[in-house]
Amino acid sequence: RATSNICTASALMASTSTGTNFSFKNVQGYLRLRLCAVIPEDYESAVQSVTLTSTKALSGTAAITFGTDGIPTAEIKENAGNSLTVDLKTPQRLATKASGNYVELYVPVVPMTFGADEITLTINFEEGAPFSKKNGKAITIARREVTGMMLEIGADEGFTGDIESADEASEVST
């Protein structure tokens, strides 16, 4: 069973009103990262943090607008940063993909599409050198949805596994 870590960043919500009725909507999507290792014994130190770096802005001050359909969109306008780091409260050991015991993280992200090689995921261990890989294919983070990615440390290719389509992704409430 996966050990889940939800990024402590606040979920970005926006509201509209008609008179005294308010409607709150999620603005973000979520990136679910599952980490495992081909040979866990090669990584004797536990995962302490994960850094997501991109060619696109991942943090900063966002401008939120509402379409005529009432759906919010966000665009990072100021103080843009190209990386997010998630610190695990308790460092966790890696297991094999077959075991299903992933280190699992949920990271809120402003909806956008990342092309191949536009994201670098760096795994920082308690001891030893970090491990980095780029995404091997395009990834779309959609509002209200969880997009899953797998990183098998020690594999030759980039991120592997399931990048869920919008139809397959787990949906987050409005």
Side-chain angles (χ1 to χ4, degrees):
R1 180 156 167 83
T3 303
S4 294
N5 295 279
I6 298 176
C7 185
T8 56
S10 300
L12 185 58
M13 305 272 302
S15 85
T16 57
S17 67
T18 54
T20 58
N21 295 321
F22 286 91
S23 175
F24 288 89
K25 305 275 185 183
N26 278 314
V27 175
Q28 298 166 298
Y30 294 85
L31 180 59
R32 181 189 64 223
L33 302 171
R34 287 185 172 168
L35 312 175
C36 59
V38 174
I39 304 172
E41 295 77 22
D42 288 350
Y43 304 93
E44 293 181 11
S45 184
V47 175
Q48 185 166 358
S49 66
V50 176
T51 301
L52 187 68
T53 306
S54 176
T55 57
K56 297 184 176 187
L58 296 172
S59 64
T61 304
I64 300 170
T65 56
F66 284 88
T68 56
D69 57 1
I71 302 299
T73 59
E75 183 181 353
I76 297 173
K77 294 284 192 179
E78 298 176 24
N79 304 318
N82 292 54
S83 68
L84 294 170
T85 298
V86 179
D87 292 311
L88 281 64
K89 289 182 181 178
T90 304
Q92 296 174 23
R93 301 279 312 225
L94 294 168
T96 64
K97 184 177 179 178
S99 74
N101 292 322
Y102 312 113
V103 173
E104 189 170 70
L105 303 119
Y106 288 84
V107 183
V109 178
V110 171
M112 68 179 85
T113 297
F114 299 95
D117 297 329
E118 285 189 339
I119 299 176
T120 301
L121 188 64
T122 302
I123 312 303
N124 302 296
F125 297 96
E126 286 183 300
E127 298 175 14
F131 178 89
S132 295
K133 282 271 188 175
K134 289 186 177 286
N135 61 312
K137 51 184 158 178
I139 299 163
T140 298
I141 308 295
R143 186 186 80 81
R144 294 182 47 210
E145 293 181 359
V146 176
T147 301
M149 291 175 55
M150 172 78 69
L151 176 59
E152 191 171 14
I153 298 173
D156 291 333
E157 64 273 5
F159 299 153
T160 62
D162 306 318
I163 297 174
E164 301 168 341
S165 70
D167 293 334
E168 298 167 327
S170 304
E171 198 167 287
V172 179
S173 62
T174 356

